[in-house]
Amino acid sequence: MLNIGLLGLGTVGTGIVQILEERKKYLEKLIKQEISISKILVKDIDKKRDIEIDKEKLTTDIYEIIEDDNIDIIIEVLGGLDNPYYYIKEALNKGKDVITANKAVVAKHLEELTNLAKAKNKSFLYEASVGGGIPIIKPLKEQVNINQIQEIRGILNGTSNYILTKMISENLDFQEALETSQRLGYAEANPTDDIEGYDTRRKLRILSTIAFKDKIDEEDISCYGINSINFSDIKNIKSMSCTVKLLGTAIVNDNKYYASVEPVIVSQNSYFSKVDDANNLVSFIGDNVGELRFFGEGAGRFPTANAVLSDLIDITSNTYQRNCFLENSELDNINELYRGKYYMRINVKEDTKDKIEKYIVDNEIIEDMIEKKDSIAFTTKLISKKKLEKLIDIFMIDSKNYFVARLEV
């Protein structure tokens, strides 16, 4: 008998229960033992739920699960940071395998929890923490054994991608697209993590650490979101026959790496331009395998639950990678040295407009002027982004009054 302790019965937890019920006979035949969800941690036992559940299995006491020697595997789908981290750590210390969908915990404590699982000879798997239902972490762990991974790129946040898709396809301004996203359940009431790029940064931190076999902290990843994009930017981008996506990018070469989360303007021929709505796409390049791409739904009840249960099968069939991925310790971050071409729009006051135009010409920033009305919009030469940051500082431009996106056209 495989006994599971489930922490959380929200959207993903409910999906796990439903899939296990529907696929129970097949899964039990596959892993050659019965499967039982023994206990489920909830906040409110009497809450009305979408599924019928035996209330005897519900508990508000985490120790009823962690201290139960009959429970073999803990599945954590609570969300949040501090409590889930403590529960996962305690479960590993108690000799239980752990599966989590919690990107915040994995991003902050990846190395510690991986090492603890190794020390306890237990599993710590987290496929659902990146890309929802897209299988990306397991293939990446397999490929690092026979490849030097050179690059990771991805649309890793469905909410921001949905917002940008609606702005481009329906000519909406940012607030309209955000409100539509919230109404449909893609964006939270507080969408900060999505629209400012923090969610993408966590996921890129996880992927790049595995890929480059070195600890890439969130602080090592430059991060700029989409919250200041407006309708005039969309008009300008479409005039270039392009679209815009929030991309996470990590590139390594000669023991140096660049890692960023930022809006990127891509041509209509780019495969990223074809990824619409709340879908995700992740690609990585290995020196032997070349480029591999993974596309699918980046969130949602069943895609995320599917990834969790894939980890469950890997544990029960012993088909997951046990390699310790932290082998390097010599990679240098070169974000400040990275050079690219950029699109920039600045809302300007009449008394500073001429000064800003003169500055971008005198400092060899501008390549082409796109707009010179209520705002100025231009594309740059190949420059360090620090040049644009210096421009912002000198003229004390508020973050709400400018938008920057890297050009890949």
Side-chain angles (χ1 to χ4, degrees):
M1 173 76 76
L2 178 69
N3 292 307
I4 298 168
L6 178 61
L7 311 187
L9 195 55
T11 299
V12 178
T14 299
I16 291 168
V17 173
Q18 288 176 302
I19 293 175
L20 280 177
E21 287 178 351
E22 292 169 6
R23 304 283 291 174
K24 184 175 174 60
K25 288 183 179 179
Y26 176 80
L27 291 173
E28 288 180 341
K29 185 177 179 181
L30 179 68
I31 69 173
K32 297 180 174 59
Q33 56 182 318
E34 292 183 37
I35 301 172
S36 173
I37 298 180
S38 300
K39 281 288 181 181
I40 305 174
L41 182 70
V42 296
K43 289 181 179 178
D44 181 0
I45 291 175
D46 297 318
K47 177 183 175 181
K48 186 176 181 180
R49 294 181 166 84
D50 295 340
I51 55 172
E52 290 186 12
I53 198 85
D54 182 359
K55 284 191 177 182
E56 292 297 317
K57 291 189 174 186
L58 305 182
T59 181
T60 58
D61 183 0
I62 183 62
Y63 292 103
E64 282 192 33
I65 299 175
I66 289 178
E67 300 288 349
D68 188 340
D69 293 335
N70 293 317
I71 290 178
D72 309 291
I73 295 178
I74 299 291
I75 297 176
E76 185 276 312
V77 288
L78 290 166
L81 180 59
D82 293 337
N83 284 341
Y85 161 65
Y86 173 76
Y87 300 159
I88 291 170
K89 189 173 179 179
E90 283 295 291
L92 288 170
N93 277 318
K94 290 290 184 181
K96 302 182 189 301
D97 296 303
V98 174
I99 299 166
T100 182
N102 193 320
K103 54 188 169 282
V105 171
V106 177
K108 189 170 181 64
H109 301 288
L110 175 58
E111 293 78 16
E112 177 192 357
L113 295 175
T114 298
N115 290 332
L116 177 58
K118 183 180 179 182
K120 296 294 182 179
N121 196 28
K122 289 296 171 182
S123 313
F124 172 60
L125 299 186
Y126 42 89
E127 183 67 63
S129 68
V130 178
I134 304 172
I136 178 63
I137 290 176
K138 184 180 181 182
L140 182 58
K141 285 182 176 180
E142 291 172 344
Q143 292 304 317
V144 297
N145 291 324
I146 46 179
N147 286 267
Q148 292 290 326
I149 305 300
Q150 301 163 340
E151 178 180 309
I152 290 179
R153 304 181 71 211
I155 295 171
L156 296 168
N157 182 267
T159 300
S160 61
N161 199 54
Y162 182 86
I163 290 169
L164 293 174
T165 298
K166 289 300 176 186
M167 292 183 74
I168 288 284
S169 64
E170 299 182 16
N171 293 318
L172 302 181
D173 66 25
F174 177 79
Q175 193 60 38
E176 286 178 308
L178 172 59
E179 289 172 0
T180 299
S181 177
Q182 288 172 320
R183 188 166 60 251
L184 295 174
Y186 292 122
E188 302 287 344
N190 180 356
T192 300
D193 281 3
D194 296 320
I195 64 176
E196 294 194 6
Y198 304 144
D199 176 80
T200 298
R201 182 171 65 179
R202 292 186 190 109
K203 295 170 182 175
L204 185 64
R205 175 274 200 270
I206 295 167
L207 293 177
S208 57
T209 293
I210 295 169
F212 302 158
K213 300 181 180 180
D214 196 3
K215 184 178 182 181
I216 310 298
D217 283 320
E218 289 182 61
E219 294 75 17
D220 298 322
I221 302 171
S222 65
C223 187
Y224 177 60
I226 63 168
N227 47 314
S228 64
I229 192 170
N230 66 22
F231 180 72
S232 68
D233 298 315
I234 296 299
K235 183 181 67 174
N236 292 332
I237 291 165
K238 291 173 77 170
S239 74
M240 303 178 203
S241 298
C242 293
T243 190
V244 60
K245 300 293 181 182
L246 183 68
L247 294 186
T249 303
I251 302 169
V252 68
N253 184 40
D254 193 26
N255 285 331
K256 298 178 178 64
Y257 74 93
Y258 162 80
S260 74
V261 173
E262 60 188 339
V264 179
I265 296 170
V266 297
S267 74
Q268 297 292 351
N269 295 325
S270 166
Y271 51 78
F272 286 111
S273 72
K274 309 297 192 296
V275 182
D276 290 332
D277 299 323
N279 290 311
N280 284 191
L281 187 147
V282 188
S283 75
F284 63 82
I285 298 173
D287 59 347
N288 292 316
V289 75
E291 183 175 18
L292 298 177
R293 301 174 191 167
F294 302 80
F295 170 85
E297 292 188 47
R301 172 178 296 185
F302 293 115
T304 307
N306 183 82
V308 169
L309 293 175
S310 294
D311 281 343
L312 180 70
I313 292 171
D314 281 344
I315 290 173
T316 56
S317 58
N318 197 27
T319 54
Y320 65 95
Q321 292 289 309
R322 294 179 180 271
N323 54 314
C324 184
F325 48 79
L326 293 180
E327 298 176 5
N328 293 332
S329 58
E330 300 176 354
L331 294 183
D332 294 323
N333 185 288
I334 57 166
N335 284 356
E336 291 191 357
L337 302 177
Y338 182 83
R339 291 161 62 83
K341 290 188 174 183
Y342 296 90
Y343 161 88
M344 186 173 195
R345 182 264 310 155
I346 308 172
N347 295 339
V348 291
K349 297 177 180 177
E350 197 60 40
D351 59 340
T352 60
K353 184 176 181 180
D354 291 342
K355 294 177 183 178
I356 291 175
E357 289 183 23
K358 184 176 186 305
Y359 181 89
I360 60 178
V361 171
D362 291 347
N363 288 273
E364 299 183 333
I365 292 174
I366 186 171
E367 182 165 272
D368 289 310
M369 183 66 76
I370 299 173
E371 182 182 351
K372 288 177 62 175
K373 295 180 181 178
D374 297 332
S375 61
I376 58 172
F378 57 92
T379 58
T380 76
K381 298 178 180 180
L382 187 67
I383 61 170
S384 164
K385 198 170 184 180
K386 289 186 71 176
K387 274 198 169 186
L388 296 181
E389 292 169 352
K390 186 175 180 180
L391 163 65
I392 291 162
D393 290 340
I394 288 173
F395 290 97
M396 295 182 288
I397 305 169
D398 186 87
S399 61
K400 295 178 181 179
N401 290 323
Y402 72 90
F403 175 72
V404 176
R406 184 159 54 82
L407 289 168
E408 286 190 5
V409 293

